[in-house]
Amino acid sequence: MHVQGSAAYIDDMPVPKGTLHVAFALSDVAYGKINKIDITVAKKADGVHSILLAKDIENLYIGAIKHDEPILADKEVLFYGQAIAAVLADSHDNARKAALLVTSDVTELEAVVTIDQAMAKKSFLDEPLIVSIGDSNKAIDSSKNKLNGSISIGGQEHYYLEGQVALAIPTEDNEMVVHSSTQNPTEVQHLVAHVLDVPQNAIEVVTRRMGGGFGGKETDSSQLACVCAIFAQQTKLSIKARLSRKDDILMTGKRHDFKADYKVGYADDGKILGIEIDLAARCGYSLDLSKAIVSRALFHADNAYFMPNATFRGFLCKTNTASNTAFRGFGGPQGMLVIENIIEEIAMNIGVDPLEIRKLNYYQKETNNVTPYDQVVEDNIINELSSELVEDSKYLARRQSIEDFNKNNKYLKKGLALSPVKFGISFTTQLLNQAGALVNVYKDGSIYINHGGTEMGQGLFIKVAQVVANEFGVNLERVKVSATSTSKVPNTSPTAASSGSDLNGMAAREACLRIKKNLTIFAQNFYGEDNDIIEFKDSYVHVGKKKIAFDEFVSTAYLNRVELFSNGFYKTPKIYFDAIKQKGRPFYYYSYGACVSEVIVDCLTGEYKLLAVDILHDVGASLNPAIDMGQIVGGYIQGMGWLCSEELKWNDSGALLTMGASTYKIPAIGDTPEHFEVKIKPNISNHENTIHKSKAVGEPPLMLAISTWLAIKNAIYNADNNNKTGLNAPANFEQVFFSLNKNLNS
């Protein structure tokens, strides 16, 4: 349906007669005291029904972890683009036109915009987080070789194809159905119930599918749904809202940008002896999910490397910008980029291939296998995976070829890099590692499943349907997956943390096993003999030597009053974490990958071209190799955009300047190299008991793109061997030009 264009999204749904539409008036000040909001002219505009202000909302504050986000600005504005009023009109266009007529009198105050400003003013949302092992300070001081530096890492706009959208339909007895483009229907349900002051059973949230999410619809979808619900409760009419691209970018959070300062002590051969990294994140005006995101950044500041003496500190900077939120990788990419940059700089200082420094510092299997947060790396395959990719990509021969090319070319320089990925799988908030499912087998043998996961184009529904079809031994066409609904499976976790298949696949399988237990007992009694083996395969039920068509068997079971539906529940085992000590086992397992990237840089202009990419990635025993391949390719491309071209810019007053495709450059087909080889690591399965021994694939591939950024850094170094630091992310053409010409930048 996606390929055919026939998949329906919320904006495609026919709306009930009399539906009204919402648009928002936004602040043009980043921080200030609200003296007055004037809605006089706007109320008289064509088609306007009513206008909502903060003072009209009794339960004004919402938020994912802490209720610190006003649905509409109250008494003060906290970021440029914050909603100050919601306009309700008879059409989408009339609502938008009227919203432009809302004016405000705001006394502008000095905004905290940048990470440096927040750090200087000690503007924080919470206490710093610290992950440590050994004595990093002593190890660095006693090291013969030392390295220190800093790197700025930009954020990223989600730029999902389908923007934020919601449709609230009041039903009976103060109940409501809310269609929301959200990765977290349960959170939307809970927050809508909170703002309406009704029990949660009065609110049903439905998500058929999203046109992309990437984390941007894990928490940010709640504001729109809540405003629609408030208007729906007031008017007893259906209410719809969809954001324009500009408003979506202004109102919602991004990937956190970070600034990292680091100190490292290392041996003559490049072995890291001690390391300290301070990671400061621009979180925005409210907490959102920032604490968990910074925590995950600290958990991945080691990436694939053993650190015997390490201190990683995370700072949650409070700024007058939109509250940053979940984004594919959830802090992990930022932490990984820092350590990979450090590895590269150690290699430059010693004068060896960075691959040698990586291999020297990799986690091992029996020793040197404990992370700074005390988890033992039990499933390490990074050594053999890297070696396999080195051979597949002809890395060593290409390194020599690039060296020869660079000797013979003054203004064009090539760069090459291999970077590994070790990414922890599980929500770091333990309570979220649970899922439920409901499976119905109808008397004609067709099967219907509902689970708590949401479909955003990543193929989760197909994977779970495959799990169900496999358990009953029937064709996939026999299984349908319903829209995600809070009325069928309650209290679900968001579809995030790459755990959609792990959690919901296992919950669905558990439901199937319960039904199969009923059917097996029935088959034994009705068809079989004591020693008969019961098997479900090839759309038949095999009872000893008897073979009954599945639909006939189910119909007979129904006639004999056998229960043909069941729930299933799954919670991830083995995970625990002490948040005070920052020690434990936050991850059930790790996913691994590696990527080799080759670039060519024009030293006169800073322009570059990605010439070749070779990827080897671990997905365990894949549930669906085609879907997993798509996730690997898509993740890499999105990561490449983050690190190469997608730059968010604010002016000194806190106004966001990059509000659309004309100013914000996402990757295009022309940015993809002709040589793009992607391989799923064969003949491997998860050592943990995941769904059919598969591994998560949503987030880990994004970090493969770090190799592209490293290849650009390598090319700059090849142009000038004294240029060992200074490249920030994203490494757009301008950034590369100034890195090549430091005297111009100063």
Side-chain angles (χ1 to χ4, degrees):
M1 291 170 68
H2 287 88
V3 174
Q4 294 170 337
S6 61
Y9 299 85
I10 292 174
D11 203 37
D12 300 316
M13 292 172 55
V15 296
K17 186 178 180 181
T19 295
L20 299 177
H21 300 261
V22 180
F24 294 90
L26 308 183
S27 167
D28 58 2
V29 170
Y31 181 41
K33 179 185 176 184
I34 299 174
N35 301 313
K36 183 182 180 182
I37 298 173
D38 191 344
I39 61 174
T40 308
V41 178
K43 284 179 73 173
K44 297 175 183 177
D46 289 347
V48 171
H49 181 280
S50 58
I51 298 178
L52 191 69
L53 299 175
K55 64 183 178 63
D56 305 317
I57 305 173
E58 185 175 347
N59 297 319
L60 179 64
Y61 284 84
I62 59 174
I65 307 299
K66 181 181 178 182
H67 285 187
D68 60 351
E69 300 178 12
I71 295 171
L72 298 172
D74 180 36
K75 297 185 176 64
E76 60 182 0
V77 292
L78 297 168
F79 68 95
Y80 182 92
Q82 184 176 13
I84 61 173
V87 177
L88 187 65
D90 59 0
S91 72
H92 175 73
D93 287 344
N94 281 341
R96 289 189 64 190
K97 289 173 184 175
L100 296 174
L101 300 176
V102 176
T103 59
S104 59
D105 176 15
V106 178
T107 301
E108 192 167 359
L109 302 172
E110 184 182 358
V112 177
V113 180
T114 67
I115 291 173
D116 287 340
Q117 289 171 346
M119 293 294 286
K121 295 188 176 188
K122 293 184 167 46
S123 175
F124 301 121
L125 289 164
D126 209 328
E127 294 299 311
L129 300 171
I130 301 174
V131 171
S132 65
I133 192 169
D135 190 335
S136 58
N137 190 50
K138 181 180 178 182
I140 293 170
D141 285 346
S142 61
S143 295
K144 180 180 174 183
N145 307 289
K146 297 179 178 64
L147 170 70
N148 62 74
S150 66
I151 178 174
S152 293
I153 304 168
Q156 188 176 20
E157 165 60 36
H158 298 88
Y159 228 100
Y160 25 64
L161 283 174
E162 178 203 32
Q164 300 282 355
V165 57
L167 171 64
I169 304 173
T171 53
E172 62 180 29
D173 194 24
N174 209 25
E175 296 172 11
M176 192 177 298
V177 175
V178 180
H179 296 273
S180 175
S181 183
T182 179
Q183 296 170 239
N184 199 349
T186 286
E187 181 174 280
V188 172
Q189 177 201 27
H190 293 177
L191 291 176
V192 167
H194 164 69
V195 299
L196 298 186
D197 197 21
V198 299
Q200 291 168 11
N201 66 2
I203 306 299
E204 179 186 358
V205 176
V206 179
T207 303
R208 172 72 263 186
R209 61 178 60 83
M210 287 164 277
F214 310 118
K217 295 176 180 175
E218 186 172 345
T219 61
D220 278 349
S221 45
S222 297
Q223 180 186 23
L224 219 60
C226 286
V227 170
C228 287
I230 291 168
F231 275 130
Q233 187 184 59
Q234 291 176 352
T235 63
K236 308 303 179 190
L237 295 170
S238 299
I239 307 294
K240 181 178 177 181
R242 60 179 169 89
L243 297 182
S244 67
R245 179 66 65 186
K246 178 182 175 183
D247 286 359
D248 197 314
I249 291 174
L250 283 173
M251 292 172 65
T252 63
K254 328 282 180 229
R255 183 189 295 280
H256 291 62
D257 44 333
F258 277 67
K259 184 174 182 184
D261 296 306
Y262 52 87
K263 293 192 298 183
V264 187
Y266 59 94
D268 286 342
D269 60 359
K271 187 84 169 177
I272 294 175
L273 305 174
I275 185 168
E276 294 184 358
I277 300 175
D278 286 350
L279 286 166
R282 172 161 36 188
C283 300
Y285 80 97
S286 68
L287 189 60
D288 198 85
L289 299 172
S290 291
K291 197 166 183 178
I293 288 164
V294 171
S295 180
R296 187 174 276 268
L298 301 180
F299 291 155
H300 288 82
D302 62 332
N303 193 12
Y305 309 108
F306 175 65
M307 310 282 178
N309 300 284
T311 301
F312 303 146
R313 287 177 286 262
F315 298 89
L316 286 78
C317 295
K318 182 179 181 180
T319 55
N320 294 114
T321 53
S323 192
N324 283 329
T325 190
F327 199 128
R328 197 176 194 171
F330 205 77
Q334 295 94 317
M336 276 192 201
L337 183 64
V338 178
I339 187 60
E340 291 302 331
N341 178 62
I342 289 168
I343 294 283
E344 203 78 11
E345 291 184 358
I346 290 173
M348 291 173 182
N349 287 343
I350 296 175
V352 299
D353 187 333
L355 176 61
E356 297 306 311
I357 307 301
R358 290 186 166 86
K359 288 161 64 177
L360 181 68
N361 285 285
Y362 275 160
Y363 282 108
Q364 301 303 313
K365 288 195 173 177
E366 302 300 329
T367 60
N368 296 353
N369 62 349
V370 180
T371 68
Y373 46 90
D374 236 17
Q375 179 161 344
V376 177
V377 183
E378 300 170 346
D379 57 355
N380 185 14
I381 61 167
I382 197 62
N383 294 278
E384 52 263 47
L385 191 144
S386 290
S387 297
E388 188 175 335
L389 181 61
V390 166
E391 186 174 333
D392 287 351
S393 66
K394 300 179 173 57
Y395 175 90
L396 298 176
R398 286 166 64 185
R399 178 66 81 186
Q400 183 59 53
S401 174
I402 286 171
E403 190 176 318
D404 295 340
F405 175 90
N406 290 336
K407 284 178 182 176
N408 296 317
N409 289 273
K410 185 176 181 180
Y411 298 116
L412 293 176
K413 298 294 180 181
K414 288 185 177 181
L416 185 73
L418 180 150
S419 66
V421 170
K422 175 184 70 68
F423 191 79
I425 304 299
S426 292
F427 286 97
T428 52
T429 302
Q430 186 177 6
L431 65 91
L432 296 177
N433 295 287
Q434 58 177 303
L438 175 65
V439 174
N440 299 331
V441 180
Y442 294 101
K443 58 184 179 180
D444 66 349
S446 62
I447 302 167
Y448 201 52
I449 175 172
N450 182 275
H451 58 81
T454 57
E455 178 61 52
M456 61 193 96
Q458 85 280 37
L460 173 62
F461 279 19
I462 285 291
K463 283 188 171 182
V464 177
Q466 285 180 269
V467 169
V468 172
N470 182 71
E471 284 304 320
F472 287 111
V474 298
N475 295 330
L476 185 62
E477 291 73 24
R478 197 184 285 262
V479 181
K480 282 193 178 294
V481 183
S482 74
T484 310
S485 170
T486 57
S487 68
K488 295 177 182 175
V489 177
N491 308 319
T492 57
S493 298
T495 305
S498 304
S499 295
S501 298
D502 282 4
L503 294 174
N504 296 289
M506 288 294 267
R509 182 171 182 267
E510 177 63 24
C512 295
L513 292 175
R514 292 178 184 180
I515 298 169
K516 282 175 68 178
K517 183 178 179 181
N518 298 336
L519 291 173
T520 299
I521 293 170
F522 164 70
Q524 191 74 61
N525 293 333
F526 192 85
Y527 293 103
E529 299 176 6
D530 289 344
N531 297 322
D532 281 342
I533 296 172
I534 314 296
E535 290 185 289
F536 293 74
K537 65 179 183 180
D538 302 327
S539 294
Y540 286 90
V541 178
H542 299 258
V543 185
K545 295 182 179 180
K546 298 184 181 71
K547 180 178 173 183
I548 307 101
F550 183 78
D551 47 2
E552 178 190 336
F553 173 78
V554 168
S555 178
T556 305
Y558 165 74
L559 292 173
N560 285 272
R561 298 187 297 177
V562 176
E563 184 180 350
L564 295 173
F565 64 92
S566 182
N567 67 301
F569 180 77
Y570 174 77
K571 60 181 180 180
T572 309
K574 296 187 178 183
I575 52 175
Y576 59 91
F577 192 70
D578 186 325
I580 304 298
K581 296 179 181 178
Q582 291 286 299
K583 298 288 185 183
R585 181 180 176 161
F587 306 119
Y588 189 27
Y589 64 89
Y590 296 98
S591 287
Y592 297 88
C595 179
V596 172
S597 294
E598 182 179 339
V599 302
I600 186 167
V601 174
D602 185 331
C603 298
L604 296 177
T605 66
E607 292 176 280
Y608 57 82
K609 184 175 178 61
L610 180 58
L611 298 176
V613 169
D614 292 87
I615 291 170
L616 180 61
H617 198 73
D618 157 41
V619 297
S622 175
L623 292 175
N624 188 314
I627 285 175
D628 288 350
M629 184 67 77
Q631 288 294 289
I632 295 167
V633 171
Y636 169 85
I637 295 294
Q638 192 168 52
M640 182 182 72
W642 165 55
L643 291 170
C644 294
S645 66
E646 297 182 40
E647 184 175 26
L648 295 163
K649 275 187 172 288
W650 288 261
N651 68 15
D652 292 342
S653 300
L656 183 63
L657 303 175
T658 46
M659 295 182 290
S662 62
T663 51
Y664 185 81
K665 187 183 184 303
I666 62 174
I669 190 65
D671 298 310
T672 307
E674 290 184 22
H675 178 95
F676 195 2
E677 295 294 325
V678 183
K679 179 181 173 184
I680 292 174
K681 185 163 175 56
N683 305 319
I684 192 167
S685 65
N686 198 335
H687 83 296
E688 294 293 357
N689 188 30
T690 53
I691 185 68
H692 296 302
K693 296 288 187 174
S694 62
K695 282 190 177 185
V697 71
E699 292 169 293
L702 184 135
M703 285 145 281
L704 297 167
I706 291 173
S707 66
T708 302
W709 185 88
L710 293 170
I712 296 166
K713 186 179 177 80
N714 181 244
I716 294 169
Y717 173 71
N718 290 338
D720 176 6
N721 290 164
N722 293 315
N723 196 344
K724 297 173 183 175
T725 59
L727 186 66
N728 293 314
N732 57 25
F733 295 164
E734 181 183 47
Q735 170 74 219
V736 172
F737 174 81
F738 282 121
S739 187
L740 285 160
N741 300 275
K742 288 179 179 292
N743 57 320
L744 295 178
N745 198 19
S746 60

